[in-house]
Amino acid sequence: MIGLEHYLYLSGVVFTLGLCGVMMRRNVILVLMGVEIMLNAANLALVAFNKFMLPGADGTVAPDGQVFVFFTIAVAAAEVAVALVIAVALFRRLDTVNVDDVANLRW
Amino acid sequence: MLDFMFVFFAAIALAGGLVMAFHQSIVHSAFALVAVLFGVAGLYWTLGADLLGATQILLYVGGVTILLLFAVMLSTRDAGRLAIGRYILMAPVLGLLGAGLLRVYQGVIAISEGRELTLLEPEPTSDAIGQLFVDPHGFLLPFEVLSVLLLVVLVGAVTVARQQQEGTPDA
């Protein structure tokens, strides 16, 4: 049967894949995609903990963990909007989206 | 049935994650991201979080990935080379971190021992979640703060884009 541990291990592996993307990719948009995957892995762990660790008296589950995930999704969407504006601005000004080329704070 | 669903969606998410992290084409990576997000949405459903799974598909698969693809279109398709070499040095540190995490996991799993996933008759969660959002003892304050954050993001994004168009980025 599927238990909490399966979800946690899966979440850990997906998080690691996202981390690999963030650290090894050089295109800033791909780095963002890695961040999104890491956030999703954490969300999955939150929902799994909610399901398995917070059962009510009558067997129903209070969805506090799911509410956390809603906040994460909203903040992640805001983060992506701002980051993509920055990425496009970066490309227009410097003609690159390679994170190694952008080492200074100001031009 | 539930086992099959878990394995199915987990396989989708893992395959998507692998392709996302290592494929040389940025557009392929974006579509692999769609696979990961869809797999995670399916896993939400196996956990009985129906509203969350639907929101995940609406917001992430329908919104965030489209935004990412627009950014790819507006910038470059060059994915850049994988920088593997310099991070090999960090592997021992990451291994230690992972071992520590596994130790924590084991403690947590011991607590949840014996609780298995039993769900074949999904109940709608939207009612309870909606109540929590507007409950002053629940999540009303974070909910309001979040709306302010979204406003700030909206104004910020427009400001950066306008500065670009007027050609006065250092204003």
Side-chain angles (χ1 to χ4, degrees), chain A residues 20-86:
Chain A
C20 286
V22 169
M23 303 231 297
M24 301 203 294
R25 292 299 200 152
R26 301 273 59 98
N27 186 318
V28 73
I29 297 170
L30 284 166
V31 171
L32 266 176
M33 290 185 197
V35 171
E36 291 299 319
I37 288 191
M38 287 162 75
L39 284 166
N40 262 279
N43 285 349
L44 183 61
L46 275 175
V47 179
F49 275 127
N50 186 189
K51 177 81 179 173
F52 287 99
M53 307 292 270
L54 201 63
D58 52 350
T60 57
V61 178
D64 290 51
Q66 295 183 34
V67 175
F68 288 170
V69 174
F70 273 102
F71 286 118
T72 320
I73 288 178
V75 173
E79 169 241 325
V80 163
V82 171
L84 288 181
V85 167
I86 291 174

Side-chain angles (χ1 to χ4, degrees), chain A residues 21 24-31 33 97-99, chain B residues 20-29 72 75-83:
Chain A
M24 301 203 294
R25 292 299 200 152
R26 301 273 59 98
N27 186 318
V28 73
I29 297 170
L30 284 166
V31 171
M33 290 185 197
V97 283
N98 188 319
V99 288
Chain B
M20 199 294 304
F22 299 110
H23 201 282
Q24 273 302 308
S25 155
I26 187 166
V27 180
H28 278 79
S29 283
V72 173
S75 63
T76 172
R77 298 231 307 272
D78 177 25
R81 295 184 52 225
L82 285 176

